[in-house]
């Protein structure tokens, strides 16, 4: 079976990383995991995944710090980031998109839907539409 892409899951909760890994693997994605922002940055630089699923609240570096560090490194700046977060306030979601996220998934989430969403994001990004995707999500949420 051909892989649908490589996804790096950065989350400090082992059960959530496992849930993401199992469902993404079943959907045909290769998955790597990191339990902190610092470890996630190192893995992103080493492995160059096709997409990063990133928790907002992490030890060492929070999600926004990870996104800023990725964007500051031209070798990994183009990797699309999808936030996974328990934060549901409109300002948190808006800030994530403005920081550079291409999607924002709130916890708890449907694990089956996760793989579908990751696939849609990767399809859209491969068509060169990361900025348009982010803008459309901000508009849909009324956060422009």
């Amino acid at each position: 079976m051909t892989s649908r892409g490589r996804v790096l899951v950065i989350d400090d909760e082992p059960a959530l990383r496992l849930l993401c890994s199992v469902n993404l693997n079943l959907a045909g994605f290769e998955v790597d995991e990191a339990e902190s922002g610092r470890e996630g940055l190192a893995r992103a630089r080493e492995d160059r995944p096709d997409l990063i699923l990133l928790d907002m609240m992490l030890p060492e570096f929070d999600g926004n710090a990870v996104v800023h560090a990725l964007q500051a490194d031209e070798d990994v700046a183009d990797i699309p980031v999808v936030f996974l977060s328990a934060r549901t306030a409109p300002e948190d979601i808006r800030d994530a998109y403005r920081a550079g996220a291409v999607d924002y998934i709130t916890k708890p989430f449907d694990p089956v839907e996760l793989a579908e969403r990751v696939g849609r994001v990767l399809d859209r990004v491969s068509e060169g539409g990361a900025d348009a995707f982010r803008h459309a999500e901000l508009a849909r949420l009324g956060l422009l």
Side-chain angles (χ1 to χ4, degrees):
M1 174 188 235
T2 304
S3 171
R4 292 180 63 194
R6 291 185 338 266
V7 178
L8 172 60
V9 178
I10 307 173
D11 198 294
D12 58 330
E13 296 178 41
L16 190 112
R17 288 194 313 271
L18 178 62
L19 179 70
C20 291
S21 291
V22 167
N23 283 283
L24 290 168
N25 281 141
L26 287 171
F29 295 97
E30 295 174 47
V31 181
D32 194 12
E33 301 176 16
E35 63 184 37
S36 71
R38 188 176 308 278
E39 180 186 357
L41 281 171
R43 296 230 177 166
R45 289 176 176 136
E46 284 175 28
D47 301 335
R48 300 248 331 117
D50 298 307
L51 183 136
I52 297 173
L53 283 175
L54 177 62
D55 186 16
M56 180 72 76
M57 298 177 282
L58 290 167
E60 299 175 35
F61 293 149
D62 70 5
N64 283 325
V66 171
V67 169
H68 286 76
L70 289 166
Q71 291 175 341
D73 183 338
E74 66 183 37
D75 291 333
V76 292
D78 62 335
I79 299 172
V81 174
V82 174
F83 272 110
L84 284 174
S85 183
R87 294 182 178 175
T88 59
E91 58 271 10
D92 291 323
I93 297 169
R94 181 191 61 237
D95 291 348
Y97 280 109
R98 288 186 176 158
V102 296
D103 203 358
Y104 193 97
I105 300 170
T106 56
K107 297 177 187 176
F109 57 89
D110 178 345
V112 174
E113 157 104 9
L114 177 68
E116 294 170 8
R117 231 152 131 186
V118 165
R120 281 195 309 267
V121 169
L122 283 173
D123 289 346
R124 187 77 181 258
V125 168
S126 72
E127 296 167 0
D131 288 332
F133 189 81
R134 183 172 40 251
H135 185 79
E137 284 301 300
L138 281 165
R140 183 183 67 78
L141 296 167
L143 299 174
L144 286 178

